[in-house]
Amino acid sequence: MAEQEQPLLDAFIDVYMSSLKYLDEFISEPAKAFHLSFEQYLILREITRHKNVTLMDIASQRQVTRSAISRQIRVLLRQGYLRQQPDENDRRRLYLLATPAGEQAERLIRQRIDHRFQGWLDMYGEDQAQELLNFIRNFSQVTRLKNRDN
């Protein structure tokens, strides 16, 4: 790395340590009151929004392994936010359904997230939020393509 690029790298590291970690905390905090990670909340959200969702549907959508989703779902089942229901035509196929407690938790977490996000928009404005979103999308796309080609 060229010596003149070192301050830029140091600045990126500083931003990561002071800001990006906070962004993760900012996003995940509303679910903590329900003893859920943000990933678990997103799974619960998917299940409350769609019918006949299976573990494999979620794993496929997120492009992760079945076991990664299974660990998350186990927590949701244990905490009483989800239940499983066998398909009437194929008892091996299990649908994931939100319990009343799961539906209420999803609704309350969503309200908290909406409130936090609105505060963020009020502070920074929609234009800046859109710029950040566009940058993150571009960064992700370029990184995925580069990693795929290597």
Side-chain angles (χ1 to χ4, degrees), residues 24-67:
D24 178 51
E25 189 177 299
F26 176 85
I27 290 171
S28 63
E29 190 277 330
K32 285 182 183 176
F34 295 86
H35 308 288
L36 297 176
S37 69
F38 191 66
E39 284 291 320
Q40 291 160 349
Y41 162 70
L42 292 176
I43 292 168
L44 180 59
R45 178 177 171 236
E46 178 72 18
I47 292 165
T48 60
R49 288 183 170 193
H50 299 97
K51 290 185 181 232
N52 299 331
V53 176
T54 66
L55 185 147
M56 285 306 298
D57 295 334
I58 295 169
S60 176
Q61 175 196 28
R62 296 179 187 277
Q63 299 177 347
V64 297
T65 65
R66 183 182 187 280
S67 62

Side-chain angles (χ1 to χ4, degrees), residues 62-81:
R62 296 179 187 277
Q63 299 177 347
V64 297
T65 65
R66 183 182 187 280
S67 62
I69 296 300
S70 182
R71 285 188 297 273
Q72 304 291 347
I73 288 174
R74 219 173 298 129
V75 171
L76 292 162
L77 288 166
R78 194 176 20 212
Q79 292 185 357
Y81 294 135

Side-chain angles (χ1 to χ4, degrees), residues 77-129:
L77 288 166
R78 194 176 20 212
Q79 292 185 357
Y81 294 135
L82 292 183
R83 65 182 179 86
Q84 295 176 318
Q85 177 177 311
D87 182 333
E88 291 178 10
N89 299 320
D90 182 355
R91 309 272 312 155
R92 294 170 297 171
R93 184 178 177 97
L94 295 174
Y95 294 120
L96 299 165
L97 302 166
T99 63
E103 289 176 0
Q104 180 181 15
E106 190 283 327
R107 185 175 55 256
L108 293 172
I109 294 168
R110 182 173 16 94
Q111 288 170 354
R112 291 175 180 191
I113 290 170
D114 289 349
H115 179 75
R116 288 179 76 101
F117 185 69
Q118 188 58 54
W120 190 68
L121 281 180
D122 292 345
M123 191 179 323
Y124 296 105
E126 197 169 325
D127 290 343
Q128 242 182 330

